[in-house]
Amino acid sequence: MRDGKPNKRKTPARAASAERLAAVRRADTARMPGASVHASLANEIGLRIVRGDYPPGTILPNEAKWSETFDVSRSAVREAIKMLMAKSLLASRPKIGSWVEPKERWNLLDRDVLAWYATSPDREVFLKTVQEFRHIIEPEATAFAAMRRTDEQMAEISRACREMGAAATLQERTRADTRFHLAILRASGNDLLVPLGVLIESAFDHLFAYTTRELDDLQHAQKLHEAIEKNIRLQRPDAARNAVRKLLANTDSVIKSR
């Protein structure tokens, strides 16, 4: 005699979705200890939105459907939707549900949104967009840094440059490279530039993974960074600006060659 409880046996499609969410949850946990179910679910839905599975204007599945698809509680779904609304990917209204906002409203400086972009099918477009941003911001920021940097800020820039040259792995080098460019933004003395560093910080790992270089390329890039460091240290804004432009041109050529 059956006890009247609903059959909770997963269908193959539901099991596969739950397995994907579990994988996302494991990845999130590795990146962010203590990551919750709703954060993992937000990551999965956000990635689908950014890669185009749900184009702007699309009405998303309702709370019950997401709950069934990923085998999670409705409260987890609600929290995930709130997270995506905070990133301006979604809007919601009673009796209508949640829908994908136009792309121009998305918070593209959010770390998660940037990470989703960098793994989307349009990754090459994303990386070129990052490079355009760097061309707009970094030369002038570096010129300001050459004029305004403090001794403490200069020490931070120089240390990051040395650590790049001494790095034993590409990952170590990328971390030092990121610190180098963020230190320059801070040394520019413009408070509005500092928050933009999140774009550089989030994008560099993906940029360097895409442009993995041979030893000769790395050595050349190191010399270009050292020229930037030298001109900031000697407080030569015009030379520092030109040194950054040479570095960016070099990265452009590497991206085009891939």
Side-chain angles (χ1 to χ4, degrees):
M1 177 175 172
R2 296 183 183 274
D3 59 9
K5 293 183 179 179
N7 182 2
K8 294 187 177 180
R9 185 176 57 189
K10 294 185 177 67
T11 64
R14 185 177 174 186
S17 294
E19 184 177 346
R20 283 197 301 274
L21 179 61
V24 171
R25 187 183 305 138
R26 289 194 296 271
D28 274 2
T29 303
R31 179 172 61 87
M32 185 191 309
S36 61
V37 173
H38 70 263
S40 300
L41 181 58
N43 188 82
E44 173 68 14
I45 298 173
L47 178 59
R48 293 183 181 192
I49 292 171
V50 171
R51 75 186 180 195
D53 293 4
Y54 301 108
T58 301
I59 302 293
L60 293 183
N62 61 27
E63 197 175 278
K65 183 62 177 178
W66 283 127
S67 178
E68 179 185 5
T69 299
F70 290 105
D71 194 25
V72 297
S73 68
R74 291 195 179 191
S75 63
V77 175
R78 284 193 294 272
E79 290 302 315
I81 296 301
K82 287 180 182 178
M83 288 182 66
L84 296 173
M85 289 175 64
K87 300 176 190 296
S88 298
L89 267 68
L90 296 180
S92 182
R93 188 174 298 170
K95 298 183 180 180
I96 296 177
S98 301
W99 66 89
V100 180
E101 286 278 67
K103 188 175 179 181
E104 58 267 22
R105 295 185 185 175
W106 298 356
N107 182 5
L108 298 182
L109 293 182
D110 181 270
R111 292 176 186 274
D112 291 330
V113 178
L114 284 169
W116 299 331
Y117 247 119
T119 56
S120 71
D122 290 334
R123 182 176 65 169
E124 291 183 37
V125 174
F126 166 77
L127 295 178
K128 289 176 180 177
T129 301
V130 170
Q131 277 300 101
E132 288 179 359
F133 173 87
R134 296 181 66 196
H135 277 283
I136 294 167
I137 298 297
E138 291 194 58
E140 294 307 316
T142 304
F144 279 124
M147 292 185 285
R148 298 172 176 174
R149 56 84 178 162
T150 64
D151 290 343
E152 183 179 354
Q153 289 169 335
M154 189 66 241
E156 185 180 9
I157 294 168
S158 298
R159 180 168 57 253
C161 190
R162 289 194 303 271
E163 290 174 355
M164 284 179 60
T169 66
L170 184 63
Q171 184 178 35
E172 289 178 5
R173 180 182 176 82
T174 300
R175 295 287 185 268
D177 199 343
T178 300
R179 290 195 298 274
F180 178 82
H181 290 279
L182 292 178
I184 290 174
L185 287 184
R186 287 191 290 269
S188 71
N190 187 306
D191 291 341
L192 293 180
L193 288 177
V194 176
L196 296 179
V198 68
L199 177 57
I200 293 175
E201 187 174 7
S202 299
F204 262 32
D205 282 348
H206 303 286
L207 181 63
F208 276 80
Y210 184 73
T211 60
T212 301
R213 300 167 177 176
E214 303 297 332
L215 180 60
D216 289 345
D217 292 327
L218 290 174
Q219 290 174 339
H220 179 57
Q222 180 65 26
K223 290 179 180 178
L224 293 173
H225 282 82
E226 290 171 356
I228 296 170
E229 187 274 341
K230 178 181 178 180
N231 286 300
I232 295 175
R233 177 163 39 84
L234 297 178
Q235 297 186 297
R236 299 172 177 169
D238 290 339
R241 182 188 296 111
N242 290 332
V244 171
R245 286 173 175 159
K246 289 180 181 179
L247 174 65
L248 293 173
N250 180 68
T251 305
D252 289 341
S253 66
V254 173
I255 290 175
K256 289 177 182 177
S257 68
R258 290 296 180 266

